[in-house]
């Protein structure tokens, strides 16, 4: 057994400057500072296991141009880790916060060192083209660093293009394009990069394409690259690493590279612009022509800064500490990196059926839907701060669901359904969107959703295994399918979401069947021991059960998805009152929650690294339990939610590279912080309600679109005053411990009176949040 220590962040209590005023966070007394947009720190999450990257991007853009420091190992998932110490080069596509790596397309290596074709290792960077670096600077839309060979590198982007500006010292230099560069890991089988081509066109444009068989197996990327200065000579290198000497201007293979030599690299900076497309080279050329027609690097940088200023200006805060304000804006930045744009300028994109489609005029397609993570808080956040964009994503998801051979979206990446994680949580995002009034063609998506819901012959993918058992037994047997306990409960949540969609499209009988089946989660929670417990095909339970273990037959497989028995016991999001009844009532459920948060923070040696950020056995560093601190609100002790949420806000996030307690997971960890810091969270996104927690800032403002603004005030707030005493909404007393999305999006002022001691606010049954379409005390049966 290993003990996992709890990370702690000391909460500063002194006066701190904000927007030219002084904000006191030591207590309720003092002049109120004006809420202002904060300044993000793009290096938050680039250390530890946050797996973020610091390079240049636009909100939800296709091009994400950033330095790469490593391509091997778990902490190389984004291509960058703050502790690696040397830079390989700058590639044009990245993943933010994921637990699996991919992308890193079209690596550009500017250097004045002798030509080397391999990067070398982190331990011995001098053996390859790696370079140590200094003076690193990152801000939204712009990145700068000085490489040890003396090259000053600057990066910015448009939506589909990466723009580089390199200043060389006097003398020769070269720029290597390593088109074999990609994430590689020990479990990769076969060739990672294949069917690659590089061509130097007569107009001097370098074009290419390749197939990558990494996480999104079989994805394709194409590029078109132009330089502001003509190289003195160009040298291609084939799979064998030898120079091609026949004067060719085109090459094919798997491990292709090209070096662009400059006899005198000094003087005017060398600018590079690279257009991207998943469809073809034409799409990449079109991106260049439309988005980067000239060589105005500074103009592109200004445009990128302006785009981010608008995106980050939607939230403004006052109070808290300077570090907490930095964390808030950094979280808002990371929450708007994905999903990523996937359509070319002409609307073409690669669908999940691997065919080329064209989005309707005015519409877009997107990639990097990390839905197992982001349905919980990221997508709910976008419905508040980016309602038009949330609607755009909803319409795209409806189209892609209809096009996909696998039906409801799971984890689509670059036109490939990776089937990563479990369930098909795209249905939650669609059901939530409909519940919040977002217009989309849900009827077009329904046939494929229904197939996944009911059709035994509909081909399963990794994330949907065991549906037959789930239909027949009401649970998935642990001796038949891996991660069965988590699957049973998450399939039940997807049933709940699909029931809403069925109702929306008029399939009322299907809706009733799905609502009933959504209670299957109970069939893997053994009331005799009070835990989610592996259950076998014959109906028996795992006898040697221990809730800290991750499965009955490890290492063959786990019974939980990135969780153990403690964490999996509270996966239910949609039928909380049914779960409370299953445990024997409010007092028993409260005691069980207390047990979770106060148990020894021990894990077995074979626990996955995703189970991190422990408070007792609660794991904030991974998504399955992100709603659990809010469950006290359903059993009449909301003050315990308030205390725990405030603790998580202050202990699990820091303003430094190791500032995210686990993978940021395409913005989910960040979205939890944002919503919880505002004082509310969507326990069940499909219900379109938010449960109150403990607001972190004295004042927080959120632009809701359409000229509407939500203002949250926490009067009397302080680090030692996390408890809600009373609430007012638009001046009127508000006794409920929750608020509907329909209320929030009208805009207005939500005022919390905070105190040092727990109060009875929100504890009455009539004031508790609804669940499964019922209020407290009405039960969770159909």
């Amino acid at each position: 057994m290993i003990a996992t220590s709890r990370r702690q962040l000391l909460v500063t209590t002194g006066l701190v400057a904000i927007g030219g005023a002084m904000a006191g966070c030591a207590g309720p007394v003092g002049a109120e500072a004006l809420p202002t947009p904060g300044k993000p720190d793009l290096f938050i999450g680039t250390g530890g296991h946050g797996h973020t990257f610091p390079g240049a991007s636009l909100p939800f853009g296709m091009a994400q141009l950033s330095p790469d420091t490593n391509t091997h190992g778990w902490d190389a998932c984004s291509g960058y880790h703050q502790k690696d110490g040397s830079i390989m080069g700058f590639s044009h596509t990245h993943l933010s916060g994921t637990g699996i790596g991919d992308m890193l397309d079209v690596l550009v290596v500017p250097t004045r060192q002798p030509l080397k074709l391999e990067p070398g290792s982190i331990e011995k960077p001098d053996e390859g083209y790696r370079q140590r670096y200094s003076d690193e600077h990152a801000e939204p839309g712009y990145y700068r660093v000085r490489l040890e060979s003396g090259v000053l590198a600057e990066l910015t982007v448009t939506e589909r293009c990466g723009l580089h500006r390199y200043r060389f010292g006097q003398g020769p230099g070269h720029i290597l394009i390593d088109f074999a560069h990609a994430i590689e890991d020990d479990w990769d089988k076969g060739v990672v990069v294949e069917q690659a081509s590089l061509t130097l066109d007569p107009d001097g444009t370098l074009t290419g394409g390749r197939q990558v068989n990494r996480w999104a197996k079989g994805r394709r990327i194409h590029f078109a690259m132009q330089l502001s200065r003509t190289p003195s000579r160009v040298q291609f290198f084939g799979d064998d690493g030898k120079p091609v000497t026949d004067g060719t201007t085109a090459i094919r293979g798997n491990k292709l590279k090209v070096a662009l030599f400059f006899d005198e690299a000094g003087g005017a900076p060398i600018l590079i612009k690279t257009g991207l497309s998943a469809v073809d080279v034409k799409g990449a050329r079109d991106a260049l022509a439309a988005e980067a027609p000239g060589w105005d690097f500074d103009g592109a940088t200004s445009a990128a800064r302006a785009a981010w200023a608008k995106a980050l200006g939607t939230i403004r805060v006052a109070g808290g500490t300077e570090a907490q304000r930095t964390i808030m804006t950094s979280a808002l930045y990371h929450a708007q990196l994905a999903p990523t744009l996937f359509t070319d300028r002409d609307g073409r994109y690669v669908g999940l059926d691997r065919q080329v489609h064209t989005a309707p005029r005015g519409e877009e397609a997107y990639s990097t839907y990390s839905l197992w993570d982001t349905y919980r808080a990221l997508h709910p956040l976008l419905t508040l701060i980016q309602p038009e964009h949330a609607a755009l994503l909803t319409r795209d998801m409806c189209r892609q669901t209809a096009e996909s051979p696998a039906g409801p979206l799971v984890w689509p990446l670059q036109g490939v359904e990776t089937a990563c994680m479990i369930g098909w949580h795209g249905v939650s995002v669609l059901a939530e969107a409909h519940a919040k009034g977002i217009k989309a063609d849900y009827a077009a998506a329904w046939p494929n959703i229904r197939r996944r819901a009911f059709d035994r012959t509909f081909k399963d993918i990794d994330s949907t295994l065991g549906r037959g058992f789930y239909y027949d037994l009401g649970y998935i047997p642990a001796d038949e399918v891996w991660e069965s306990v988590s699957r049973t409960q998450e399939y039940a949540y997807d049933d709940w979401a699909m029931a809403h969609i069925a109702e929306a499209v008029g399939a009322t009988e299907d809706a009733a069947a799905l609502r009933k089946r959504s209670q299957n989660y109970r069939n893997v929670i053994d009331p005799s021991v009070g835990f989610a417990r592996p259950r076998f095909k014959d109906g028996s339970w795992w006898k040697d059960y221990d809730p800290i273990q991750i499965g009955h037959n490890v290492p063959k497989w786990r019974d939980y998805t990135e969780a153990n028995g403690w964490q999996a016991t509270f996966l239910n999001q949609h039928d909380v009152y049914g779960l409370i009844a299953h445990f024997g009532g409010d007092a028993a459920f409260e005691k069980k929650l207390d047990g979770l948060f106060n148990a020894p923070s021990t894990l077995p040696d074979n626990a996955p690294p995703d189970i991190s950020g422990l408070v007792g056995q609660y794991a904030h560093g991974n998504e399955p339990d992100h709603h659990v601190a809010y469950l006290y609100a359903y059993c009449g002790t909301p003050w315990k939610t308030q205390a725990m949420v405030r603790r998580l806000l202050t202990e699990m996030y820091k303003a430094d590279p190791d500032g995210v307690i686990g993978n940021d997971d395409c913005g989910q960890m960040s979205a939890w912080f944002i919503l919880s810091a505002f004082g509310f969270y969507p326990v069940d996104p499909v219900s379109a309600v938010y449960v109150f927690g403990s607001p972190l800032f004295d004042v927080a403002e959120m632009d809701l679109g359409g000229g509407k603004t939500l203002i949250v005030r926490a009067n009397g707030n302080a680090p030692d005053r996390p408890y809600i005493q009373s609430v007012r909404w638009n001046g009127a007393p508000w006794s409920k411990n929750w608020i509907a999305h329909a209320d929030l999006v009208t805009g207005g002022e939500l005022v919390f009176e905070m105190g040092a001691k727990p109060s009875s606010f929100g504890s009455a049954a009539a004031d508790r949040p609804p669940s499964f379409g019922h209020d407290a005390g009405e039960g969770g049966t159909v």
Side-chain angles (χ1 to χ4, degrees), residues 65-90:
L65 180 56
S66 190
D68 293 346
T69 63
N70 196 14
T71 59
H72 194 92
W74 195 48
D75 284 331
C77 287
S78 73
Y80 181 97
H81 195 277
Q82 181 257 348
K83 290 185 177 180
D84 285 342
S86 59
I87 287 174
M88 306 165 82
F90 308 98

Side-chain angles (χ1 to χ4, degrees), residues 172-210:
H174 71 268
I175 295 172
L176 175 70
I177 311 301
D178 187 345
F179 206 36
H181 178 78
I183 287 282
E184 297 187 62
D185 218 331
D186 294 336
W187 53 269
D188 285 325
K189 306 296 182 183
V191 179
V192 174
V193 176
E194 63 179 342
Q195 299 178 31
S197 65
L198 290 172
T199 301
L200 185 61
D201 294 337
D203 66 354
T205 303
L206 180 68
T207 61
R210 68 177 188 172

Side-chain angles (χ1 to χ4, degrees), residues 12 45 113 152 211 221 363 536 545 577 591 593 647 716 764:
T12 305
Q113 297 175 340
L152 179 65
Q211 178 173 308
I221 186 71
E363 299 293 314
F536 301 124
Y545 177 74
Y577 295 119
K591 183 178 180 180
L593 283 172
R647 177 179 176 180

Side-chain angles (χ1 to χ4, degrees), residues 525-533 545 547 565-566 569-570 582-583 592:
I525 299 177
D526 183 357
S528 71
V529 298
F531 283 102
R533 185 178 184 182
Y545 177 74
W566 265 111
T569 295
F570 299 96
H582 197 63
F583 274 100
K592 197 68 182 180

Side-chain angles (χ1 to χ4, degrees), residues 169-446:
Q170 295 300 313
H174 71 268
I175 295 172
L176 175 70
I177 311 301
D178 187 345
F179 206 36
H181 178 78
I183 287 282
E184 297 187 62
D185 218 331
D186 294 336
W187 53 269
D188 285 325
K189 306 296 182 183
V191 179
V192 174
V193 176
E194 63 179 342
Q195 299 178 31
S197 65
L198 290 172
T199 301
L200 185 61
D201 294 337
D203 66 354
T205 303
L206 180 68
T207 61
R210 68 177 188 172
Q211 178 173 308
V212 183
N213 305 311
R214 178 94 242 294
W215 183 12
K217 297 189 184 306
R219 71 174 181 88
R220 294 198 63 84
I221 186 71
H222 306 270
F223 77 93
M225 177 185 291
Q226 295 176 351
L227 280 71
S228 63
R229 291 170 54 183
T230 303
S232 303
R233 63 189 182 282
V234 177
Q235 181 67 66
F236 289 94
F237 297 86
D239 287 355
D240 58 4
K242 296 179 180 180
V244 178
T245 58
D246 61 0
T248 185
T249 57
I251 188 172
R252 294 182 178 274
N254 297 342
K255 300 179 180 181
L256 306 184
K257 305 179 186 190
V258 59
L260 313 173
F261 294 95
F262 296 84
D263 293 339
E264 178 51 72
I270 299 173
L271 282 71
I272 297 176
K273 51 187 180 181
T274 307
L276 302 174
S277 169
V279 178
D280 55 23
V281 167
K282 177 185 179 300
R285 278 185 168 275
D286 288 348
L288 277 183
E291 298 179 13
W295 297 101
D296 188 3
F297 183 92
D298 291 332
T301 301
S302 296
R305 285 171 172 154
W308 276 113
K310 181 180 179 181
L312 299 179
T314 57
I315 285 178
R316 300 166 296 279
V317 300
T321 67
E322 182 179 359
Q324 288 165 346
R325 295 192 295 275
T326 297
I327 293 167
M328 174 62 110
T329 312
S330 305
L332 185 58
Y333 173 82
H334 286 131
Q336 297 179 86
L337 289 176
T340 53
L341 182 66
F342 198 49
T343 35
D344 286 350
R345 296 286 306 184
D346 59 7
R348 292 180 301 155
Y349 66 97
V350 178
L352 296 173
D353 55 1
R354 307 293 182 98
Q355 302 300 308
V356 175
H357 299 264
T358 301
R361 189 175 185 85
E363 299 293 314
E364 304 283 5
Y366 286 83
S367 173
T368 324
Y369 281 106
S370 182
L371 293 165
W372 185 81
D373 309 291
T374 57
Y375 84 88
R376 305 167 196 268
L378 186 279
H379 286 279
L381 173 66
L382 294 181
T383 65
L384 290 168
I385 66 170
Q386 293 269 14
E388 292 184 1
H389 191 73
L392 184 67
L393 293 175
T394 301
R395 297 191 296 270
D396 173 49
M397 290 180 65
C398 284
R399 288 190 299 272
Q400 292 207 49
T401 298
E403 293 164 1
S404 174
L409 305 189
V410 178
W411 218 120
L413 178 61
Q414 298 290 296
V416 178
E417 177 54 85
T418 67
C420 186
M421 309 311 292
I422 60 171
W424 43 98
H425 296 320
V427 296
S428 172
V429 178
L430 295 183
E432 177 200 9
H434 183 271
K436 292 179 174 179
I438 293 176
K439 305 297 183 184
D441 194 352
Y442 301 99
W446 173 245

